[in-house]
Amino acid sequence: MKRFYLSLLLCAISSLVIAQELQLENTASGRSFILKPGSTVDLHLDLPAAQMVRTNNRVLTGALQAPEKGLLQILPVQETKQYIFENGLEREDNTYYEALLGRQPFRLPLEEVNSIHYRTPAIEHLNKAGKILLAAGAAGALLVAPLASIDYGEGSFNGDRYFRIAGYSLITAGVGVAVKFGTRKRKFTILQPGESPDKNRWTLKMLN
C-alpha cells in the first residue's frame, strides 16, 4: 500500500515538473508574464495565401488551455475568417463551436499566432457584470422609468418619479459602460520574422 501511494506521489510530482506554460515577453523591456489557462483569448492567425485574395485573416476565440507537447491549446467558441479580394469584395465566414457535442481543444504551433487579445478569468467575470449593469440600466431608463411613472388610476404622469428612476438607471448604465470598457481584452502583437523589437511587440514562448 505504501508503494502504491508513493507511486501516486511520484506521478503527481513528475506531472508538475513537466507541466508547460505559455509566457509573453516584451521585446523592448523584457517584462514578461504567464498566460493563465481558462483565460478568454482571441488568437489572430494567418490564413494560407490564395489567388485573387489581397488579405485574409483568421480569428479563433475561446478558452486558453494548458499547452501540451509544445503546442498552444484553445477550447474554441467561435472562429471568424475574413477575406478581402483584389476586386474589393469582402467576405466573412463565422463558425460557432460552443454547442458542439464532444468539443475538443484546437492545437496550434506558436509560430502561427500574429496577435493575442487576452482577458483573465477574473476580468472576464467583471466584464460580464459590466454588460449586465449596462443592460439593466438601459432597460430601467427606457422601460421601467416611464411605466413606473404612470398613474393608471388617474391617467396622469409623475415626472419627478420618472426622472428619479431614469437618473438611477443612467448611473447604473454608466457604471456598466465604465466596467465593460475597463475590462476589455489586452492586445499583444507578436513579433514576426523581419520585424524589429519594440515596446509594442511581444514574443510568445513555451516554458518547460
Side-chain angles (χ1 to χ4, degrees), residues 130-183:
K131 292 178 181 178
I132 292 172
L133 288 174
L134 175 58
L142 297 175
L143 298 175
V144 177
L147 293 176
S149 302
I150 299 174
D151 189 330
Y152 295 94
E154 298 182 1
S156 59
F157 187 82
N158 189 324
D160 291 338
R161 182 184 300 166
Y162 170 79
F163 285 112
R164 184 171 64 253
I165 297 175
Y168 288 136
S169 299
L170 291 176
I171 291 173
T172 301
V175 172
V177 170
V179 172
K180 182 176 182 294
F181 283 94
T183 55

Side-chain angles (χ1 to χ4, degrees), residues 189-205:
T189 302
I190 306 303
L191 183 71
Q192 300 298 310
E195 293 183 340
S196 300
D198 62 47
K199 65 179 181 180
N200 296 319
R201 295 290 186 273
W202 298 75
T203 56
L204 184 60
K205 299 180 178 180

Side-chain angles (χ1 to χ4, degrees), residues 31-50:
R31 183 167 62 93
S32 64
F33 64 93
I34 301 298
L35 298 178
K36 299 179 180 179
S39 300
T40 302
V41 293
D42 301 329
L43 301 179
H44 288 249
L45 313 162
D46 270 338
L47 285 168

Side-chain angles (χ1 to χ4, degrees), residues 27-116:
T27 59
S29 66
R31 183 167 62 93
S32 64
F33 64 93
I34 301 298
L35 298 178
K36 299 179 180 179
S39 300
T40 302
V41 293
D42 301 329
L43 301 179
H44 288 249
L45 313 162
D46 270 338
L47 285 168
Q51 290 185 343
M52 306 298 292
V53 177
R54 186 191 311 160
T55 59
N56 50 25
N57 186 41
R58 176 188 179 197
V59 181
L60 188 58
T61 299
L64 191 67
Q65 308 292 291
E68 188 174 299
K69 297 181 181 179
L71 297 175
L72 181 154
Q73 290 198 121
I74 177 174
L75 189 64
V77 172
Q78 180 179 346
E79 182 176 7
T80 301
K81 294 180 180 179
Q82 301 166 325
Y83 307 86
I84 300 178
F85 295 88
E86 293 291 353
N87 61 5
L89 179 68
E90 297 184 17
R91 193 182 84 190
E92 181 174 293
D93 298 331
N94 289 286
T95 306
Y96 300 93
Y97 297 97
E98 198 164 13
L100 180 66
L101 297 177
R103 182 172 48 140
Q104 296 294 322
F106 285 1
R107 293 184 176 183
L108 303 166
L110 302 188
E111 295 77 17
E112 292 188 6
V113 181
N114 289 331
S115 68
I116 298 176

